[in-house]
Amino acid sequence: MHNLRSVDVAVPRDALAAFTGVSGSGKSSLAFGTLYAEAQQRYLESVAPYARRLLQQVGAPDADAITGLPPAVALSQRRAAPSARSSVGTIALLSNSLRMLMSRAGAYPPGAARLDSDAFSPNTAAGACPGCEGMGEVLDATERSMVPDPSLSIREGAVACWPGGWMGKNLREILESLGYDVDAPWRDLPQDARDWILFTDEQPVVTVHPVREAHRIQRPYQGTFSSAKRLVMKAYAASKSEARRDKAARFLTKSPCPECGGHRLRAEALAVTFAGRTMPQLASLPLSELADLLDPYAREGEGASGVLAADVVARIRVLERLGLGYLSVGRPAPTLSAGELQRLRLGTQLRSGLFGVVYVLDEPSAGLHPADTEALMEVLTGLKESGNSVFLVEHDMDVVRRADWVVDVGPGAGSRGGRVLYSGPVDGLAEAEESATRPYLFSRKGGRTRGRAPSGWLKLRGVRRNNLRDLDADVPLGAFTALTGVSGAGKTSLLRELAGGGEGVDRVVEVDQRPIGRTPRSNPATYTGMFDAVRKLFASTDRARELGYGAGRFSFNVDGGRCATCQGEGVVSVELLFLPSSYAPCPECKGARYNPDTLQVAYAGRNIAQVLEMTVEEAAGFFSDVPAAARPLRALAEVGVGYLRLGQPATELSGGEAQRIKLASELQRARRGHTLYLLDEPTTGLHPQDRDLLAERLHELVDGGATVVVAEHDMDVAAGADHVIDLGPGGGDAGGTIVAQGTPREVAESATGRTGPFLRGHL
């Protein structure tokens, strides 16, 4: 399985077992790809073939024997972005009970008919506002958005949203034929002319007499005009090109739906209240506040209001134990971190009361402040004491220390890993000399503080964003600053505010965890620009020149060199009647992405498909004498993603991996002026060894004159910072203020805030 080779391991049942190792060592392949996959396969054998097609399946593990395995439940860090219609309430199963509560126990206007629970959901035809289809906002194209510079003429490109090339020229020539002045500044055109060009529903067909160069044929043609808004809306709604959709989105504005006021529901549903609040008002409350509001009704325990309120309150109390009380029912799922999503799903499992199963969790502590980790451990221990086995893939050493058993995989990543170095009680790992985990588990050395003096200050005054209210903050320039605080304290909101820059900052670089692309065609090689150098390298070979191949021949995104059957994807969708739709290697190219003619060309004995299968570390050695390829590969290795394949699809990358690839792409660029780097939890998903490697790269940026600000839960990173700003004291409405700031030692000694006691142990 992946890089696992002939692994034999025994893990006790009814225990809390931690799987450790550097990123890419094979621990997830062992826990999820082998143990959970085998448990699912055994379950599916008992399910009717027709029902199997309705279940999401993972591949069967390549194992000789797995014995003593009970049923398993996997809670992984899902990499696919959740739907914009999904929310905290839908994930945590709170929305159904709230809608039932409004339907059965809500206060209706006099004479109003009782509504079904679906009428309180923006995701159903019965409840969605017809004006925005339940999205709460509408997209529109305005004159300002489509014509950003009214001093330009139409010929000079005033209508910025027009397509380029021949089509844009065609639209201009049609307007000339219709008598419009295309050389006058846009602002000087009559308003009715500007409105017609931008917004008309008419599509006149006009005979155009183009003016061409003297040597070109000048034949008249019939041209059809479409308004700028029509073209933008069509490109955004119907284009299959991600680039075209992104370009169209730049000329659209979002605004609250005028029909529902942004509340997403029909008017009849918005007229119903419970405890004096409408459904959107209840959904906007922090979970802890919602539970307190419903608690009196839950204690009554009678009638629909008592039963349904009790269910909502009980579910929320579980989520509070997981440190999620600051979230609201209506918060959109795409705004949640991977750790928050996983803990929400864990909360639903705690309510299920299962017994005798294996829970396989992927870094449940990701995105958690150390104070919240304590509550998480209580929950996990409760699962174990209820008669279950808990297997964790984990990088947090404080969590690993409290496990009953540890399975350490390594010693390195990729081909240098894949071996079980130790399996046994935690204390025994001290004898595993090859383990990269051992020194961090048994030594509590803290981060090294550089003690840099600020070169200036970036001053924010009266900041109001989310839960930040009239916040004043001073961030040192030319230094490394860590923003700390519990989840929901306001760290990310402060980062977003810093993105506006200020005096002394020439450039702002936000390195976030959003995907590097929405399709499998995006990968580390293409994103960093390294693949351009590789394609040119292949095109320069004698064989490529002999065949007349240019660099474009080695792109899997265009016709010519790619496989015609899978269009360069390497996989095809397989539709089966009694099994779920799945992807299989392309039968024509066998997953290589290219056609046989292209694969004839080799560089140093490898064809282009084999290069894409290399890991970053392998490729760094292979292309060591090619500077244009070696530079981005070195940057990728330095940020701890050397185990990734060059052609690994963006859809398979975690948020942390995507963020580090973006950082690598930035590190290889020439630096000009004073740059402010903003990173949101950059060490999420990293083994302590990889974390130290990444932190060193960030400190090198500061040594080079830049400013780095990170929102971070890792206390070793905070201990190594020059300046710490601790927000809190709690999350949501209980946060949003600076409770302590200064050097790491000053914050550690502060009596306010929840970070100090934990930071103290890492200095």
Side-chain angles (χ1 to χ4, degrees):
M1 172 64 67
H2 298 148
N3 65 335
L4 298 179
R5 298 290 182 271
S6 302
V7 166
D8 296 327
V9 65
V11 185
R13 291 171 57 165
D14 304 325
L16 198 159
F19 290 73
T20 61
V22 298
S23 300
S25 62
K27 56 189 181 299
S28 291
S29 297
L30 182 58
F32 285 91
T34 304
L35 297 177
Y36 170 67
E38 176 66 15
Q40 190 194 56
Q41 288 297 314
R42 294 181 184 183
Y43 166 70
L44 290 174
E45 289 173 2
S46 66
V47 176
Y50 180 80
R52 291 181 201 170
R53 65 192 296 267
L54 304 176
L55 301 172
Q56 184 179 2
Q57 301 179 30
V58 295
D62 182 7
D64 294 337
I66 300 177
T67 59
L69 182 64
V73 174
L75 296 174
S76 61
Q77 302 270 6
R78 290 184 184 170
R79 300 181 179 196
S83 162
R85 291 186 178 274
S86 182
S87 66
V88 168
T90 58
I91 296 169
L93 306 182
L94 291 166
S95 293
N96 288 341
S97 295
L98 266 184
R99 292 199 298 266
M100 289 287 289
L101 186 65
M102 296 297 293
S103 172
R104 301 292 185 268
Y108 287 75
R114 183 166 297 279
L115 300 175
D116 186 76
S117 63
D118 280 355
F120 297 93
S121 169
N123 298 328
T124 64
C129 166
C132 61
E133 297 182 339
M135 297 303 294
E137 57 187 16
V138 291
L139 292 171
D140 196 14
T142 65
E143 180 174 359
R144 175 176 288 186
S145 69
M146 293 186 288
V147 186
D149 186 354
S151 67
L152 299 176
S153 68
I154 292 174
R155 191 184 301 279
E156 292 170 333
V159 187
C161 62
W162 269 359
W166 180 87
M167 190 172 179
K169 190 174 183 180
N170 171 55
L171 291 167
R172 188 180 71 232
E173 290 176 341
I174 292 173
L175 287 179
E176 280 189 282
S177 299
L178 289 170
Y180 289 93
D181 188 347
V182 299
D183 293 306
W186 176 266
R187 65 163 70 98
D188 293 343
L189 295 178
Q191 186 63 52
D192 59 343
R194 303 199 311 238
D195 290 344
W196 190 89
I197 293 169
L198 296 179
F199 306 114
T200 184
D201 291 328
E202 300 174 34
Q203 290 187 287
V205 178
V206 179
T207 300
V208 178
H209 298 274
V211 178
R212 301 282 188 260
E213 293 83 355
H215 65 280
R216 296 182 62 186
I217 298 174
Q218 303 188 34
R219 291 198 186 100
Y221 66 90
Q222 298 295 108
T224 303
F225 182 80
S226 291
S227 69
K229 179 177 179 179
R230 178 190 288 269
L231 292 171
V232 169
M233 299 302 285
K234 182 179 179 182
Y236 183 79
S239 177
K240 294 182 180 179
S241 166
E242 182 179 341
R244 285 196 66 195
R245 281 178 53 84
D246 288 343
K247 180 181 178 182
R250 295 203 301 268
F251 303 108
L252 295 173
T253 60
K254 289 182 179 179
S255 58
C257 172
E259 191 165 333
C260 65
H263 296 309
R264 307 176 66 190
L265 296 175
R266 292 176 179 269
E268 50 267 35
L270 293 174
V272 182
T273 61
F274 182 85
R277 299 175 189 253
T278 64
M279 180 68 179
Q281 288 171 337
L282 291 175
S284 66
L285 293 174
L287 292 178
S288 296
E289 192 173 328
L290 177 61
D292 292 342
L293 178 71
L294 299 181
D295 199 47
Y297 301 93
R299 283 201 292 268
E300 291 177 7
E302 296 181 359
S305 62
V307 173
L308 292 168
D311 179 73
V312 173
V313 171
R315 291 182 184 277
I316 290 176
R317 297 307 184 201
V318 172
L319 297 177
E320 284 181 318
R321 291 168 58 196
L322 292 169
L324 298 172
Y326 61 92
L327 298 177
S328 63
V329 170
R331 178 159 169 181
T335 67
L336 300 171
S337 69
E340 288 170 333
L341 280 168
Q342 185 179 215
R343 293 197 298 280
L344 283 172
R345 295 196 297 271
L346 177 59
T348 65
Q349 291 298 323
L350 293 174
R351 289 275 298 162
S352 66
L354 293 178
F355 171 82
V357 304
V358 174
Y359 285 96
V360 187
L361 290 87
D362 188 6
E363 298 180 49
S365 66
L368 273 185
H369 187 274
D372 295 324
T373 302
E374 296 294 318
L376 172 68
M377 289 307 303
E378 292 178 12
V379 169
L380 298 179
T381 302
L383 279 177
K384 182 189 74 171
E385 292 174 351
S386 298
N388 301 296
S389 306
V390 181
F391 293 172
L392 314 172
V393 174
E394 189 55 74
H395 289 304
D396 188 325
M397 294 298 105
D398 289 332
V399 173
V400 175
R401 290 186 188 100
R402 297 173 64 171
D404 305 312
W405 195 268
V406 64
V407 178
D408 193 53
V409 185
S415 60
R416 296 186 293 106
R419 291 192 289 122
V420 173
L421 304 177
Y422 175 77
S423 178
V426 176
D427 291 343
L429 184 60
E431 306 302 320
E433 295 184 358
E434 285 188 279
S435 171
T437 304
R438 182 184 70 159
Y440 296 95
L441 189 62
F442 299 104
S443 172
R444 289 181 178 267
K445 66 174 184 177
R448 178 172 63 90
T449 302
R450 273 73 168 178
R452 303 180 184 91
S455 60
W457 294 87
L458 178 58
K459 299 185 177 183
L460 302 179
R461 294 292 179 267
V463 175
R464 299 183 66 85
R465 179 189 288 263
N466 298 332
N467 66 336
L468 303 181
R469 295 178 181 85
D470 296 320
L471 182 79
D472 294 340
D474 294 342
V475 177
L477 298 176
F480 188 113
T481 297
L483 307 181
T484 60
V486 298
S487 299
K491 303 183 296 297
T492 300
S493 297
L494 184 53
L495 272 185
R496 295 288 178 270
E497 195 66 27
L498 287 169
E503 186 177 350
V505 176
D506 301 309
R507 181 167 167 260
V508 177
V509 176
E510 287 186 271
V511 189
D512 56 33
Q513 296 196 8
R514 285 178 290 193
I516 61 172
R518 299 176 186 171
T519 69
R521 294 186 182 278
S522 297
N523 57 51
T526 57
Y527 187 85
T528 58
M530 173 264 180
F531 200 49
D532 291 338
V534 171
R535 292 192 293 112
K536 291 175 182 176
L537 198 62
F538 271 81
S540 69
T541 62
D542 293 340
R543 182 59 174 160
R545 289 174 177 170
E546 179 185 326
L547 295 170
Y549 292 167
R553 179 80 190 192
F554 301 96
S555 171
F556 50 77
N557 289 324
V558 296
D559 292 332
R562 70 183 182 184
C563 170
T565 302
C566 65
Q567 299 292 297
E569 294 274 4
V571 294
V572 293
S573 179
V574 180
E575 302 287 341
L576 299 174
L577 182 59
F578 294 109
L579 292 172
S581 300
S582 62
Y583 287 95
C586 172
E588 183 68 26
C589 67
K590 306 295 189 294
R593 299 184 182 219
Y594 296 91
N595 58 38
D597 291 340
T598 306
L599 297 178
Q600 290 181 46
V601 180
Y603 173 81
R606 302 286 187 97
N607 63 37
I608 192 73
Q610 291 169 330
V611 167
L612 286 172
E613 285 300 308
M614 290 181 178
T615 64
V616 169
E617 288 184 344
E618 289 177 277
F622 188 76
F623 293 110
S624 60
D625 58 346
V626 184
R631 186 170 55 253
L633 289 169
R634 184 168 56 250
L636 286 168
E638 286 176 349
V639 297
V641 290
Y643 58 92
L644 293 179
R645 289 179 289 110
L646 295 183
Q648 191 155 336
T651 51
E652 294 181 7
L653 300 172
S654 70
E657 288 167 339
Q659 184 181 45
R660 291 192 289 279
I661 290 170
K662 292 177 183 179
L663 179 61
S665 183
E666 180 61 35
L667 287 174
Q668 59 176 316
R669 296 181 181 175
R671 300 180 183 93
R672 298 184 182 88
H674 190 108
T675 303
L676 170 62
Y677 293 91
L678 305 174
L679 298 95
D680 196 356
E681 298 184 32
T683 63
T684 296
L686 282 184
H687 185 274
Q689 184 182 78
D690 299 319
R691 174 205 64 204
D692 289 349
L693 187 66
L694 175 61
E696 191 62 34
R697 298 291 82 75
L698 295 176
H699 278 288
E700 286 175 4
L701 289 175
V702 180
D703 291 337
T707 298
V708 172
V709 181
V710 299
E712 191 55 76
H713 288 301
D714 191 301
M715 291 296 104
D716 277 319
V717 175
D722 302 307
H723 191 78
V724 177
I725 298 177
D726 190 35
L727 290 109
D733 289 341
T737 61
I738 295 177
V739 294
Q741 60 182 319
T743 65
R745 187 163 299 280
E746 288 171 342
V747 172
E749 293 172 355
S750 171
T752 58
R754 301 177 65 185
T755 300
F758 298 97
L759 183 57
R760 204 172 301 138
H762 291 260
L763 293 173

